[in-house]
Amino acid sequence: MFRISVTVCGRGISKRLASSFSGENALPSNLRIPSNLVDRARAKRPPPPSDSSLPVLRRCDAAIPVHLSPVQTWVETLERRDSKLLGLVDLHPDVFAVPTRIDILHEVELWQRNFKRISRAHTKVRSEVSGGGRKPWRQKGSGKARHGSIRSPIWRGGGVSHGPRGPTSFYYMLPMKVRVQGLKIALSSKLAQDYLHVVDTLNIPTPDPQYLMDLIRYRHWGESVLIVDAGEELPENILQATESLKTVNVIPAIGLNVHSMLKHEVLVLTLEAVKFLENKLLWHNERFTPLYPFKLPYTDLP
Amino acid sequence: MSFTRKPGGKALDILQNLPRISLANLRPEPGTKKAEKKRGRGQHGGNRSGRGHKGERQRGNRPRLGFEGGQTPFYLAIPKYGYNEGHSRRAQYQPLTLNRLQYLIDLGRVDPTQPIDLTQLVNGRGVTIQPQKRDYGVQLVGEGAGIFAAKVNIEVQMASEEAIAAIERNGGMVTTGFYDPRSLAVLCKPVPFFISGQPIPKRMLPGEDMVPYYTDAANRGYLADPEKIQKARIALAQKYGYILPDISKDELFHMLSMIKDPRQIFFGLSPGWVVNMAEKKILKPTDDKLLQYYSS
């Protein structure tokens, strides 16, 4: 049972299981494997070799710092079920290869959950509970404990002393650069752990959801997929296909957020989405502090 | 340095062998979240809940802050004197050292080939002005006069003699001008003002106490006589021992001699005009009364 509990850390499981058998590759025949085990056929693919023959479809637009080099990954297509690699794409290291900080991801995730929260729990205080203005019985001589009102917090049916008071807002804003860094870290960790796929466009041949599920199953991508495109207009086929699917979702690039990226196992970006994200996320590295909100025009903002 | 470091470093290498980062794996850095003290719960928080034993302390009836048991408290025993009287109404001028000005010019955040205004300084994030907090502008301070080497036409609200000398030694021009709070707010943040659609206000003249300052040629005031200013430049050069360069022979003479009208806030824009940023148009008033008011 000890070995089956190792299934929680899914990837590389077959390697780890095999290592405990002193070099044998096969699993023991009497091992009971649960049905919800993460896909054993999925092997991590190594990064593209530098002498690969595939053409580089996109280079980085922004200048890359001298001491870093761009990260590369394959470009696939969704037209056919089997994965045909169209080429390579260069990704900016300051967006897709930043050092991982789980604490920043944790902060951004908590912020996303809490800043929208308005708790509407409300209890009545002793002054708000109906009744309780008159002294129930005289102070002395009745033999009962002394009381001033029937709605004091000691009484059954009385007010609550220190309960939740009215709608409370948990709104707070993390600094803009922390939120931006969270997005960069999430993208980098997806790329490093091989859960990021780049696709040329989102055109699929049929609006059938089964086609997408087959494609994902065939390519061993994972259980849940988040597909990101750049603009607002998405191809109809993919919208129809993902409408009924719970684990496969399409969002425009402006809607990309840390919670969705962590909730879905796999992230699929189009080339335009990569360009959009690099543009938006790298701008924060060089901007000045805002004098007035960024939505208003600036003539000379670097 | 031809050696290129691998982006992300060893962290991303280690990450490849670790489980997937998901919502279940996130945690804060150990030591950042300290548990809150819960009063009235448990062996240590319970019993008297940190309130002490009996008396006003436990019963929450302590007297007001500053009460000393009946003895005349400190804040009443000490006699009053107007050290801080009206402190919140005094004008404040944010200092701008020549060191900082040289730094901004060197980094390209402020352009010395155009007249340097408070707007240019704020756009280059050189100074932070809060018009709402009784800031009346920026004052030029002489620290760094030894290394200052830029020829600029600068307009500030106050300037020390050393700073004026340092700038004129390098062939530049200094002017001190007064901005009332509303004009200062417009000058510091022009874009939100233009978007509000109001006509550019005319700059008010300084109050009684500041008129002598701005009419004095030694301070290069904008209300002073230009001939007296020329004489003051020569006198200052003699005092500090440098040869006053002749800026009329300079190729940038036109830019260096640009000075604003006493009622003008922006170069090139007159009071009374409305700037439409969305359509990039300027609307000028045509009514006689308005023209008379704005040109007075």
Side-chain angles (χ1 to χ4, degrees), chain A residues 11 67-69 93 97 100 102-103 105-106 109 189 192-193 195 259 262 264-265 288-289 291-292 296-298, chain B residues 4-5 7-8 12 15-23 26-29 109 122-123 125 189 191-192 195:
Chain A
R11 296 165 25 68
H67 65 289
L68 298 173
S69 57
T100 313
I102 317 185
D103 56 324
L105 287 180
H106 173 77
E109 164 62 31
S189 57
Q193 297 189 310
Y195 286 109
H259 175 83
L262 294 177
H264 294 80
E265 217 177 295
F288 272 161
T289 80
L291 290 174
Y292 41 85
L296 303 186
Y298 276 83
Chain B
T4 44
R5 226 177 288 139
L12 289 180
L15 201 58
Q16 284 166 11
N17 295 325
L18 288 174
R20 173 172 77 96
I21 296 182
S22 68
L23 294 172
L26 301 178
R27 62 188 77 83
E29 193 75 21
R109 279 153 68 159
V122 165
N123 279 352
R125 307 303 189 277
K189 294 189 184 176
V191 172
I195 287 180

Side-chain angles (χ1 to χ4, degrees), chain B residues 207-225:
Chain B
E208 268 185 47
D209 45 345
M210 292 310 285
V211 166
Y213 183 88
Y214 287 107
T215 44
D216 193 1
N219 300 326
R220 309 289 185 273
Y222 71 134
L223 299 171
D225 210 356

Side-chain angles (χ1 to χ4, degrees), chain B residues 16-115:
Chain B
Q16 284 166 11
N17 295 325
L18 288 174
R20 173 172 77 96
I21 296 182
S22 68
L23 294 172
N25 280 336
L26 301 178
R27 62 188 77 83
E29 193 75 21
T32 45
K33 304 281 179 189
K34 188 157 177 171
E36 208 186 290
K37 209 188 246 197
K38 292 266 191 197
R39 303 282 186 182
R41 301 285 185 278
Q43 182 190 4
H44 304 289
N47 202 12
R48 296 197 200 91
S49 308
R51 297 286 308 208
H53 177 63
K54 280 190 185 177
E56 284 177 338
R57 292 163 193 231
Q58 193 175 15
R59 291 169 180 139
N61 289 325
R62 277 203 243 208
R64 64 187 178 276
L65 186 68
F67 185 67
E68 290 177 18
Q71 167 182 290
T72 312
F74 172 79
Y75 71 93
L76 289 181
I78 305 298
K80 284 207 236 182
Y81 185 81
Y83 295 109
N84 295 329
E85 185 166 349
H87 74 286
S88 57
R89 266 176 271 207
R90 286 186 205 147
Q92 292 174 346
Y93 295 87
Q94 181 77 5
L96 174 70
T97 54
L98 290 171
N99 269 330
R100 179 115 178 114
L101 185 57
Q102 186 66 54
Y103 174 81
L104 295 170
I105 292 173
D106 288 340
L107 257 65
R109 279 153 68 159
V110 158
D111 189 10
T113 59
Q114 295 293 323

Side-chain angles (χ1 to χ4, degrees), chain B residues 2-16:
Chain B
S2 53
F3 153 73
T4 44
R5 226 177 288 139
K6 191 165 157 222
K10 294 183 189 162
L12 289 180
D13 282 336
I14 298 169
L15 201 58
Q16 284 166 11

Side-chain angles (χ1 to χ4, degrees), chain B residues 167-179:
Chain B
I167 294 189
E168 290 184 347
R169 183 187 308 143
N170 288 303
M173 275 284 288
V174 194
T175 327
T176 47
F178 175 80
Y179 287 87

